[in-house]
Amino acid sequence: MGELDLREKSLFAMNDVFASFLNAFFVTRGEPPIKPEDLSDASPETVTVNRHQASHQIRDIIKCLRDDFGVSIALYGLENQTKPAKDMPIRIMAYDAMGYKVQAKHAKGKGKIIPIVTFVLYFGYDKRWDAPRALSECCSVPKRIKRWFVDYRIRIIELAWLTSKQIDKLDGDLKTIALCLRHFRNPKRWPFPNVKVQYVEEVLALLGKITGDKIFEKLLDEYQEHEEEDWEMASRLESYKEYYRSEGRTEGKKLGKKLGMELGEKKGIKKGKEVGKLEQLVAMTKRIMTKERKSLEDAMLYLQLDEGEKKLIRSAMD
C-alpha cells in the first residue's frame, strides 16, 4: 500500500471527518445529522472461502452506522482516488457484492442483512473525473438487451470541483482540503478563508502527497517545531503565494549577475541586468506553468505581470 493511500485513510478513518463527509453528501435536509459517535469501524477486509477457491478484498474505509439503540442500520464505504479509473464501477460493485455475500453467510434464519453504500472520493485537481460512473459505461450494451441489463452506478465526489454552496456544507478538515484543492485548481481564488485545521499533521501530509508541492513540507516542519494549538490555513498559504515569486527573483538575479559578469563592460552589465530580469520573469512563469499546470496566459495573470512584461515573456518563449 502506497504512502498516499495511508495518508488518505489515516485522516478519513477518523469518525468526525467521516461524519462530516456523510452529512455533506448523504444526509438530506430535514434529516438528523450523523454524529461521530454513531459510527464505528467495520473490517475493511472481506474473505470468502469455498471448496474450490478463496476470495480476498480490502476496502479503503468502511464504517458501520448505528441507531440510537446501538443497532447496525447501514455500512458506508469510502474509496479514495487521485486519478480516474476506468474499472471503478466494477471494483465498487465487487466490493459491495462481497460485503453482501459475507453478511448473507452469517445471517441467521430469516434475518435481514444491512445495506451497503459506497462513495468514491476523488482528490484530483488537474482534471475532472472522466472515467465511467456506471457499469453501462464500461460495457457495450446492444440495444435489444438494454431493457434487461441491470446497471450499477457509483457516486463520485470531486472535491476540487465542489461549488461554494457545497463547500459551505462541509466543516472541519474536510472543508480545508476541499478549499485547498479548489485553490490549486484555480489559484486566483484569493483571499483564502480562515479555516482552523484540527488534524494539522495529517492534513498537511495528505495535501503534500496529493499535490507534490514542497510548501506543505515546509509548513509541516514549521508546525512540528512550534506545535501551535490554533493553526489556520489562510496566513500559511499566503506565504505559498510569495514562495514562487521569491524563488523566481533569486534565480533571475543569479542569471543576470552571471550574464553581466560575462559581458564585462558597463554596457554589458546594463544589458545583463535587462536580460537577467527577463530570465527572472521567464523562470517564474515556467515554474508556475509546471507547478500549477497553467497555460502561459494564466501563469502571467497569476504573477500579475504588466503588458510590457507579458510582451517580453511571449517573445522569449516563442
Side-chain angles (χ1 to χ4, degrees):
M1 184 181 298
E3 183 179 350
L4 180 55
D5 288 332
L6 294 175
R7 296 291 185 189
E8 293 165 351
K9 292 180 183 181
S10 173
L11 182 62
F12 285 88
M14 297 177 186
N15 285 350
D16 55 344
V17 179
F18 200 90
S20 172
F21 171 79
L22 292 178
N23 287 325
F25 300 109
F26 186 78
V27 176
T28 57
R29 183 179 298 180
E31 294 181 345
I34 294 174
K35 302 184 291 293
E37 54 268 28
D38 296 334
L39 298 169
S40 61
D41 291 330
S43 175
E45 186 175 17
T46 53
V47 179
T48 59
V49 180
N50 58 36
R51 181 177 177 181
H52 302 290
Q53 65 177 7
S55 298
H56 176 239
Q57 289 180 331
I58 300 179
R59 283 176 170 265
D60 283 348
I61 301 168
I62 188 162
K63 297 279 187 179
C64 181
L65 176 65
R66 303 181 187 278
D67 62 16
D68 293 338
F69 301 99
V71 177
S72 299
I73 57 176
L75 286 168
Y76 289 113
L78 183 62
E79 298 299 316
N80 301 311
Q81 285 291 121
T82 53
K83 295 181 180 179
K86 63 181 181 180
D87 65 339
M88 207 66 203
I90 299 171
R91 285 164 55 186
I92 299 301
M93 184 172 63
Y95 288 149
D96 291 350
M98 185 171 283
Y100 285 126
K101 186 174 182 179
V102 170
Q103 284 192 70
K105 182 178 179 180
H106 294 93
K108 297 180 180 179
K110 296 183 179 181
K112 298 285 187 177
I113 60 177
I114 60 176
I116 301 173
V117 180
T118 302
F119 298 90
V120 176
L121 194 56
Y122 177 55
F123 292 98
Y125 63 90
D126 54 344
K127 72 171 186 175
R128 302 206 65 161
W129 182 276
D130 56 1
R133 296 171 182 257
L135 181 61
S136 57
E137 296 174 20
C138 299
C139 306
S140 178
V141 184
K143 184 176 180 180
R144 63 180 181 178
I145 69 166
K146 278 188 176 180
R147 61 175 177 160
W148 308 113
F149 180 79
V150 179
D151 206 355
Y152 191 91
R153 302 197 66 83
I154 60 175
R155 178 80 181 274
I156 311 288
I157 307 298
E158 299 177 270
L159 281 178
W161 276 270
L162 295 179
T163 65
S164 296
K165 185 176 181 180
Q166 289 172 317
I167 289 180
D168 286 341
K169 293 182 180 180
L170 305 177
D171 56 31
D173 291 346
L174 181 58
K175 185 172 186 176
T176 300
I177 292 172
L179 286 168
C180 284
L181 292 178
R182 186 174 68 167
H183 165 74
F184 269 81
R185 178 175 65 84
N186 182 6
K188 291 183 289 185
R189 291 181 180 274
W190 290 95
F192 192 87
N194 285 317
V195 182
K196 182 179 177 182
V197 182
Q198 182 176 359
Y199 301 110
V200 180
E201 294 189 51
E202 288 81 358
V203 169
L204 291 177
L206 176 57
L207 288 171
K209 284 298 174 183
I210 291 172
T211 64
D213 200 292
K214 299 296 183 183
I215 190 64
F216 291 107
E217 288 185 17
K218 295 178 180 294
L219 294 178
L220 184 55
D221 289 341
E222 179 185 321
Y223 171 76
Q224 291 174 336
E225 181 179 351
H226 301 289
E227 293 188 357
E228 303 169 54
E229 291 186 6
D230 294 325
W231 201 96
E232 54 83 29
M233 190 70 79
S235 61
R236 317 293 173 157
L237 283 183
E238 282 295 335
S239 64
Y240 163 81
K241 189 177 182 180
E242 294 301 321
Y243 175 66
Y244 295 117
R245 285 179 174 267
S246 176
E247 251 192 9
R249 285 193 293 267
T250 300
E251 188 174 342
K253 286 177 182 178
K254 289 180 180 178
L255 289 169
K257 183 179 179 180
K258 180 181 178 182
L259 188 53
M261 290 176 65
E262 289 175 352
L263 294 174
E265 297 179 355
K266 187 175 181 179
K267 183 178 180 181
I269 294 174
K270 182 179 179 181
K271 182 66 176 178
K273 287 182 179 179
E274 293 174 353
V275 174
K277 181 180 178 181
L278 176 59
E279 293 285 357
Q280 170 193 353
L281 294 176
V282 170
M284 292 165 63
T285 304
K286 286 183 177 179
R287 181 170 292 277
I288 294 301
M289 290 173 69
T290 300
K291 287 284 186 179
E292 297 293 327
R293 298 180 176 85
K294 292 289 180 186
S295 66
L296 174 60
E297 295 299 319
D298 285 342
M300 293 191 295
L301 181 63
Y302 180 84
L303 291 172
Q304 301 177 357
L305 304 182
D306 60 33
E307 290 303 315
E309 292 170 332
K310 289 180 180 179
K311 186 176 180 180
L312 287 173
I313 292 292
R314 293 189 189 102
S315 176
M317 296 185 67
D318 279 342

